[in-house]
Amino acid sequence: MMTATRRDPSRTSGAPPGRRLPQAGIRDQHRQPPRRIAAVVLNKGGAPTATLHIEHPISDFDTWNAAFARFAAARRQAGVRDQRVLRPVGDPAYVVVDLDFDTVGEAERFLGFLRANVWAVTENAPALAGEPQTRILEAAPVP
């Protein structure tokens, strides 16, 4: 006759005797959702970057995007370190662009280039449907 041995539910395989391992899923039930952490983007020297923030209405995203792509080399030469193109939910006729630079001076110079050579020339900005609104932003430390 076989006798059934009951397994200790507090032990899982691999646990040393006398030590309890958490049961699968229990720890996850009590885990808090991940906290969003705001990061300050730093340049190679450790200083905060400057962001040229641009937003404006457009007539057609594909046309705008093709024109934006034509100036990729100019952005690299001007010192753009990173770029983000965003569109508001529910508004396909608007675009927001963030261009990151190492310094405020680089951002200011590139803004001057955009005003004189891109936005002022219809062929260079064929989908621009309104006056671009711009700001140069610096990263701010947050707790």
Side-chain angles (χ1 to χ4, degrees):
M1 171 178 232
M2 286 185 91
T3 56
T5 55
R6 296 183 70 193
R7 184 172 172 220
D8 181 357
S10 67
R11 288 196 20 113
T12 53
S13 61
R19 181 171 173 183
R20 298 178 70 159
L21 292 180
Q23 293 176 340
I26 297 228
R27 184 175 58 199
D28 293 338
Q29 291 173 0
H30 299 290
R31 184 179 295 170
Q32 296 294 321
R35 291 176 49 195
R36 292 187 180 258
I37 299 173
V40 174
V41 180
L42 303 177
N43 65 17
K44 294 175 189 170
T49 61
T51 298
L52 173 55
H53 178 85
I54 306 162
E55 52 184 276
H56 58 80
I58 56 173
S59 59
D60 176 72
F61 182 77
D62 290 336
T63 303
W64 177 89
N65 200 28
F68 183 77
R70 285 195 301 271
F71 289 93
R75 287 191 300 278
R76 276 192 305 276
Q77 290 171 353
V80 173
R81 301 290 175 233
D82 196 13
Q83 64 187 27
R84 289 167 302 286
V85 174
L86 306 131
R87 295 169 71 188
V89 174
D91 190 356
Y94 203 82
V95 68
V96 176
V97 180
D98 286 335
L99 304 173
D100 294 335
F101 297 85
D102 285 339
T103 68
V104 170
E106 288 176 330
E108 290 171 335
R109 284 187 291 281
F110 193 65
L111 177 56
F113 167 81
L114 290 172
R115 287 179 173 150
N117 301 298
V118 179
W119 301 331
V121 181
T122 305
E123 294 80 31
N124 290 340
L128 186 62
E131 185 71 24
Q133 301 300 308
T134 64
R135 289 185 180 200
I136 296 177
L137 309 170
E138 291 183 295
V142 294

